[in-house]
Amino acid sequence: MRSLTTGRRDNAPSRWAYRFERLMLTPLFRLFLRVVVPFVVVAGAATVWLSDADRRESLNLAVSDLRREIATRPEFMVSAMTVDGASQGTSEDIRDILSLSFPTSSFDLDLPSIRERVEELPAIASVAVRVRPGGILELNVAERTPVVVWRTHEGLTLVDPEGNVTGPAISRAAHAQMPLIAGEGAEHHVQEALRLFSAAAPLADRVIGLVRVGERRWDLVLDRGQRIKLPEQGAVEALDRVVALNHAEELLERDIKVVDMRLAHRPTVQLTEQAVDAWWQASQMTTGTVGQ
């Protein structure tokens, strides 16, 4: 009987196949094949395609046309602007500094830049800018609230509690309800000035205003040419003492020109010229009488 020899098939993978299979089991290699290789191929193809100047120009024109087509669609057009929360004068100032022409595309409006430009106005504390449905550019403005009138060499200006100049004052009569301050650097001490005006409330019908002296301290100016000189420190307490003394002894109803409180331990008064003359004549008469 003839014996048949049959060859056995070797199912073992080749060396290179084995190594490839081992690499495919590595997560980093799979990531390289799935992400890095396609990216390099696409980037290379794009680089080759964009290396031609005519192609680049055609692509830029196509992108520009597409952007223009999208930007000029009716739903992206802004046709008007509203300013809410601002006075008429401030609203006009806002429109003047922005100088926007309508209709315009919302893509052409730089809202952060618009907000910054509006907040540069002295009268503006803050502003919120948005494009609301219907193609309206909306500005919600919070104006600064002035509390005092500041007299300077240039004229009258309005100042808020933080010392920000909000704008010019038309006249003193137009803001008669606001207290008056004057002097170099007075606008930086509005809070202290308000406390002094509050302390001087019993003298309100006689108070003209506060003057900042030497950028260090205040003088309270009253009618009839009277002045109360206050110290650099403890000005409110010193004014309280004067008000109490006036209530008890009617100090400011006398012929006194200046009440000097700069030295807390030694307050002094300065008489008016008429009072000094009267005192001098009285002393001379007394001297003459004694001499006789």
Side-chain angles (χ1 to χ4, degrees):
M1 185 177 205
R2 188 176 59 180
S3 61
L4 299 175
T5 61
T6 58
R8 293 183 178 180
R9 183 177 178 183
D10 188 4
N11 294 325
S14 66
R15 180 179 300 178
W16 291 107
Y18 174 76
R19 291 181 177 179
F20 182 75
E21 290 178 359
R22 294 287 296 177
L23 283 175
M24 288 300 296
L25 294 175
T26 306
L28 186 61
F29 183 74
R30 293 201 304 271
L31 177 66
F32 177 80
L33 288 180
R34 294 174 182 175
V35 178
V36 177
V37 172
F39 175 79
V40 171
V41 172
V42 172
T47 302
V48 173
W49 191 85
L50 292 174
S51 61
D52 184 77
D54 293 336
R55 291 173 183 165
R56 289 198 304 271
E57 184 177 358
S58 299
L59 179 62
N60 291 334
L61 290 175
V63 172
S64 179
D65 291 341
L66 178 62
R67 181 188 182 281
R68 189 184 309 109
E69 182 179 351
I70 296 175
T72 55
R73 290 179 63 87
E75 57 266 31
F76 297 122
M77 295 300 291
V78 178
S79 57
M81 179 177 71
T82 63
V83 180
D84 299 329
S87 61
Q88 181 177 355
T90 302
S91 179
E92 292 175 354
D93 291 340
I94 291 174
R95 295 180 186 276
D96 288 341
I97 66 169
L98 294 180
S99 299
L100 297 176
S101 299
F102 297 100
T104 185
S105 173
S106 59
F107 288 91
D108 296 329
L109 294 175
D110 187 351
L111 300 187
S113 176
I114 291 175
R115 185 184 68 251
E116 291 176 2
R117 292 172 63 188
V118 172
E119 288 181 345
E120 289 176 356
L121 290 174
I124 302 299
S126 63
V127 58
V129 184
R130 72 184 184 102
V131 177
R132 73 186 189 194
I136 304 297
L137 177 63
E138 182 180 71
L139 279 69
N140 289 310
V141 175
E143 287 193 75
R144 301 186 189 277
T145 303
V147 293
V148 296
V149 178
W150 179 33
R151 185 184 297 278
T152 66
H153 296 294
E154 290 76 20
L156 299 175
T157 56
L158 302 175
V159 183
D160 74 350
E162 285 72 38
N164 298 296
V165 176
T166 64
I170 300 174
S171 65
R172 181 69 183 111
H175 306 279
Q177 76 282 2
M178 293 186 189
L180 177 68
I181 63 174
E184 191 72 23
E187 80 281 15
H188 301 308
H189 302 274
V190 174
Q191 295 285 356
E192 184 184 23
L194 293 175
R195 291 194 296 270
L196 288 171
F197 281 119
S198 179
L203 308 172
D205 57 338
R206 295 196 53 201
V207 172
I208 295 177
L210 283 168
V211 177
R212 191 73 178 171
V213 180
E215 299 187 38
R216 296 182 299 104
R217 61 174 196 85
W218 294 99
D219 278 0
L220 181 67
V221 180
L222 306 176
D223 59 3
R224 302 207 315 261
Q226 289 182 325
R227 181 176 292 235
I228 302 174
K229 295 185 176 182
L230 300 172
E232 184 175 351
Q233 302 294 332
V236 175
E237 292 78 6
L239 182 56
D240 286 337
R241 292 177 59 190
V242 176
V243 172
L245 189 60
N246 180 69
H247 179 73
E249 302 183 12
E250 297 184 348
L251 174 66
L252 299 175
E253 301 302 323
R254 304 179 184 182
D255 291 332
I256 292 176
K257 182 178 181 180
V258 175
V259 179
D260 193 340
M261 300 296 293
R262 288 177 293 177
L263 297 178
H265 63 281
R266 193 180 65 183
T268 59
V269 297
Q270 178 183 342
L271 301 177
T272 62
E273 294 181 1
Q274 294 82 355
V276 172
D277 291 341
W279 176 84
W280 177 255
Q281 292 175 6
S283 64
Q284 288 294 98
M285 292 176 61
T286 302
T287 303
T289 304
V290 173
Q292 292 178 357

